[in-house]
Amino acid sequence: MQQDRHHTDMVAARRIVVLTGAGISAESGIRTFRASDGLWEDHKVEDVATPEGFAANPVAVHQFYNDRRRLLLNASIRPNPAHTALARLEHSVIDLPGHDFLLITQNIDNLHERAGSRALVHMHGELLKMRCEQSGLSFDIREDLMLDTCCRCCREPGNLRPDVVWFGEIPLSMAKITKALTQCDLFIAIGTSGNVYPAAGFFELAREHGAHTVELNLESTNADFDEHICGPASTVVPDYVERLLSSAN
Ligand code: BV8
């Protein structure tokens, strides 16, 4: 029977990979990159999200990330129902025989963890971590990172940077991600514009290996997913997860 390309076969979905982007955190109050009020509207990518930009003006780059870290730590910023639904999906399937689940996020916020997600990879790093460029060690940070902040490994200032992946740098956990993409039978992209590689190509790799691919986004990105479900993440993600879970029982 020809698989209906445009609808998820809810019962067949056993090995699930989810990719999230800035859109899943938009309703939690965190700006996306490419919307009209996006982060890239008042910053040039090459100035604040490249190693060259950091080398040229580390103070400006620290300020860019310090501002985003302070916002993230504001009490008003909380996971929304989309984050919570993904954590529920993970907890419901991860222990079922023959099932698997991996959540890959491009986001550097910690809203997935705060919603309860554990099978989680931050492929572009984390805003609440800093890294020593001498030792390679990462440390938690919840306050401003300044030029004169000392790392605990070298006990001197000047070696620390945000522990995020900038343009031109290699994303994290690519071996684990690639393995999951080639083995999954359902790939779900949520709240990402598909502008940045290699994340933007993940759905094609999954489909080449037999996965059904679904995009849940405010509006369709017109990328060639099998299925497009449009609407705000805090509505469409819980609805979709509910349908997946009710069909699995
Ligand atoms: C790599 C972390 C090699 C930092 C980010 C030329 C020179 C050098 C490199 C390149 C080049 N050409 C291409 C490249 C590769 C480059 C790239 O893709 N450039 C693009 C601009 C062309 N990529 C890289 O450099 C990557 N590294 O390629 O290394 C390699 C490759 C494979 C294997 C080994 C080695 C590294 C890229 C990482 C950059 N770091 N972030 C930080 O956060 O400051 S990128 C940043 O933007 C995010 O992390 C995310 O990945 C990316 C895209 O953002 P989105 O999440 O999609 O957000 P966006 O605003 O764009 O879209 C939001 C979407 O949500 C929209 O569709 C909107 O409609 C929707 N939405 C909004 N509200 C809602 C909603 N949806 C639902 N509900 C809502 N309420």
Side-chain angles (χ1 to χ4, degrees):
M1 180 192 76
Q2 176 66 21
Q3 156 87 10
D4 169 6
R5 189 169 172 255
H6 302 293
H7 291 94
T8 304
D9 174 350
M10 293 295 182
V11 178
R14 284 185 171 71
R15 291 186 306 284
I16 302 171
V17 171
V18 180
L19 171 70
T20 60
I24 198 170
S25 297
E27 292 162 91
S28 295
I30 296 182
R31 293 163 75 182
T32 64
F33 291 92
R34 292 170 183 81
S36 53
D37 66 341
L39 276 166
W40 299 147
E41 287 309 300
D42 45 14
H43 297 89
K44 287 171 70 179
V45 170
E46 50 273 20
D47 293 345
V48 293
T50 62
E52 296 77 14
F54 182 61
N57 191 345
V59 171
V61 174
H62 281 317
Q63 188 63 53
F64 176 64
Y65 288 95
N66 289 341
D67 291 348
R68 291 169 69 187
R69 190 176 303 109
R70 282 190 204 169
L71 172 69
L72 178 58
L73 294 173
N74 184 299
S76 66
I77 304 294
R78 287 184 298 276
N80 67 56
H83 297 101
T84 309
L86 291 180
R88 179 155 172 264
L89 176 60
E90 172 188 332
H91 301 154
S92 304
V93 305
I94 200 102
D95 294 328
L96 294 177
H99 287 64
D100 209 353
F101 181 91
L102 180 65
L103 171 54
I104 306 163
T105 188
Q106 301 173 86
N107 301 336
I108 61 175
D109 64 52
N110 65 343
L111 298 182
H112 282 306
E113 295 89 330
R114 287 169 57 188
S117 290
R118 292 295 174 268
L120 170 64
V121 168
H122 278 276
M123 66 177 290
H124 289 160
E126 297 178 62
L127 187 53
L128 299 184
K129 286 199 173 14
M130 59 184 174
R131 186 170 79 242
C132 170
E133 296 196 277
Q134 298 305 315
S135 68
L137 293 175
S138 291
F139 304 94
D140 292 339
I141 177 168
R142 300 179 78 84
E143 62 278 332
D144 285 357
L145 175 52
M146 312 303 285
L147 264 188
D148 59 1
T149 304
C150 285
C151 48
R152 290 195 285 278
C153 39
C154 311
R155 298 189 185 288
E156 62 185 24
N159 297 332
L160 288 165
R161 59 167 278 180
D163 197 7
V164 300
V165 177
W166 283 324
F167 288 95
E169 296 187 321
I170 297 177
L172 308 175
S173 306
M174 284 304 295
K176 177 175 184 174
I177 289 170
T178 305
K179 181 169 183 281
L181 292 171
T182 58
Q183 293 177 346
C184 71
D185 48 42
L186 178 59
F187 178 85
I188 309 164
I190 302 171
T192 181
S193 61
N195 278 302
V196 175
Y197 288 84
F202 286 174
F203 82 100
E204 287 157 330
L205 181 60
R207 193 171 61 225
E208 282 162 21
H209 287 79
H212 180 71
T213 60
V214 190
E215 174 189 67
L216 281 72
N217 208 57
L218 194 59
E219 65 255 346
S220 172
T221 63
N222 296 321
D224 188 23
F225 284 83
D226 294 316
E227 192 174 356
H228 295 269
I229 298 172
C230 291
S234 66
T235 305
V236 297
V237 177
D239 291 352
Y240 186 79
V241 167
E242 197 49 49
R243 282 194 289 127
L244 267 181
L245 294 180
S246 51
S247 60
N249 298 329

